[in-house]
Amino acid sequence: MQEALEAGHDEWESVGVPAGDIGVECDRAVWLAFRRASVPEVITWQKRRIFERGNIEEERLLDLLRMVGVNVWGEQDRVRACGGHLRGKIDGRALGLLEAPKKEHVVECKSAKQEIFAKVKKHGVKIGKPEHYATFQFYMHGLGIDRVYYMMSNKNDEDLHFERVEYDFEYAARAVARIERIINMPEPPSRLCTKRDDFRGAFCRQAAVCWGDMMPRAHCRSCLHSTPLMDGNAGWDCARWQKPLSLAEQDAGCPAHLFIPSMLAGFEQVEVDQENETITYRRPDGTTYVDGATQAEVG
């Protein structure tokens, strides 16, 4: 049974920048994730169960509101910004909270281990879990609602933390503007980490590609011909073939693919052959890498 479960997994990638990434400190990590530079996250059966547990806890927390007569609706309502590339779903909306019966709130439900829960309970979510704070500020910004009801449960002992948080326009507007700037960058921004063994890099899924330990994946989003569109539908455009790109086409790529040169960390550009659409690089070990396809291959 255990072996059969361990053999089953799938992969997950966001269409754009998920709301949960607004709080990621490193612009480069956000950009590389948006460009799908690294291999997709593998969702094992264990991770799937963790996600399911989170969904169950979310419903339990919403049920607490319903138990005291609060009207809850709008579960999984979508919030979009930055041409549709920045995207998320709220846990719900609420009206009739005991603290402010006539005020509509966005509801954000989370669960955490003792260490994180204690920090949030002592300092509040803005200091205790700034990633959550950034996410729900975006939700309020996108929905035009100026209060959030933040609910966190302790996984260890079922303790609860409830917190009403006001909308911070300046914070939210800056956060959204930052993500839009990152989305529109044609090349990766600078690293937050100054060295490969920075402790933050140990938790970054983009670290291997960022530092050149692994090649980026070859598909449309890592290609210098592609550009994200601010069309409201999270669209992408290909300058090489002069056409919009579906999500399936983005994943598949094409023979004319050329990496965005600055994605190839440590590579030195040696020659550009415009006729054959190739770029030649020198790797850090001194060997040569020729990127691109010939005209014969692309027709």
Side-chain angles (χ1 to χ4, degrees):
M1 179 66 176
Q2 186 78 8
E3 291 180 357
L5 289 170
E6 290 176 351
H9 68 270
D10 54 13
E11 296 176 340
W12 180 87
E13 278 185 300
S14 175
V15 170
V17 178
D21 281 4
I22 296 174
V24 173
E25 288 185 279
C26 181
D27 289 0
R28 187 180 180 94
V30 175
W31 189 92
L32 289 171
F34 176 62
R35 291 281 180 160
R36 297 186 168 187
S38 302
V39 295
E41 181 181 4
V42 174
I43 308 300
T44 63
W45 68 276
Q46 290 169 308
K47 285 185 180 179
R48 182 67 62 193
R49 285 176 58 83
I50 291 171
F51 295 157
E52 289 173 354
R53 184 181 300 173
N55 293 335
I56 292 168
E57 188 59 26
E58 177 186 316
E59 276 304 310
R60 292 181 70 207
L61 290 170
L62 293 176
D63 281 342
L64 292 178
L65 296 178
R66 299 184 181 104
M67 285 172 61
V68 295
V70 176
N71 183 21
V72 178
W73 77 101
E75 292 95 325
Q76 303 304 306
D77 278 1
R78 297 179 179 181
V79 186
R80 300 286 186 266
C82 305
H85 295 286
L86 176 57
R87 48 212 297 125
K89 296 179 181 179
I90 64 172
D91 293 333
R93 304 179 190 223
L95 188 64
L97 290 168
L98 300 180
E99 299 91 333
K102 297 182 180 180
K103 174 66 87 172
E104 181 181 348
H105 291 66
V106 175
V107 182
E108 184 78 351
C109 302
K110 298 294 182 182
S111 59
K113 294 183 289 188
Q114 172 63 31
E115 180 182 359
I116 296 173
F117 180 88
K119 190 174 181 181
V120 171
K121 191 161 188 174
K122 180 178 181 180
H123 301 288
V125 62
K126 185 174 183 178
I127 295 174
K129 196 64 176 172
E131 304 95 320
H132 293 174
Y133 183 85
T135 299
F136 63 61
Q137 284 292 340
F138 163 60
Y139 290 156
M140 287 190 282
H141 186 74
L143 294 171
I145 300 173
D146 63 3
R147 292 291 188 281
V148 72
Y149 198 64
Y150 180 77
M151 310 175 72
M152 175 178 273
S153 64
N154 188 325
K155 292 180 179 179
N156 295 67
D157 62 7
E158 291 293 333
D159 194 7
L160 298 170
H161 172 73
F162 304 140
E163 185 177 348
R164 292 180 66 229
V165 183
E166 294 185 359
Y167 169 52
D168 184 335
F169 169 77
E170 290 188 5
Y171 178 98
R174 285 197 303 268
V176 172
R178 171 191 173 234
I179 297 299
E180 184 165 344
R181 171 178 56 81
I182 293 170
I183 287 170
N184 285 311
M185 284 182 168
E187 297 184 346
S190 300
R191 299 183 186 93
L192 180 64
C193 300
T194 57
K195 53 184 180 180
R196 180 65 178 92
D197 60 353
D198 188 300
F199 76 94
R200 289 167 295 192
F203 302 99
C204 179
R205 291 192 61 253
Q206 309 303 322
V209 170
C210 177
W211 290 94
D213 301 337
M214 181 182 295
M215 289 284 287
R217 292 156 61 199
H219 51 57
C220 291
R221 292 201 188 185
S222 63
C223 179
L224 58 79
H225 297 303
S226 70
T227 304
L229 302 176
M230 293 292 138
D231 59 358
N233 296 310
W236 285 76
D237 179 75
C238 174
R240 173 62 177 80
W241 301 110
Q242 297 184 349
K243 57 173 285 188
L245 297 165
S246 69
L247 191 58
E249 288 173 319
Q250 293 170 38
D251 288 339
C254 83
H257 176 277
L258 287 171
F259 282 112
I260 296 169
S262 50
M263 289 185 76
L264 302 176
F267 283 42
E268 178 187 358
Q269 191 174 121
V270 176
E271 181 183 2
V272 176
D273 186 335
Q274 294 185 353
E275 181 178 353
N276 290 313
E277 299 187 57
T278 62
I279 302 176
T280 301
Y281 296 91
R282 184 178 294 111
R283 296 186 181 96
D285 63 5
T287 60
T288 298
Y289 169 70
V290 181
D291 185 25
T294 64
Q295 286 294 333
E297 288 175 316
V298 299

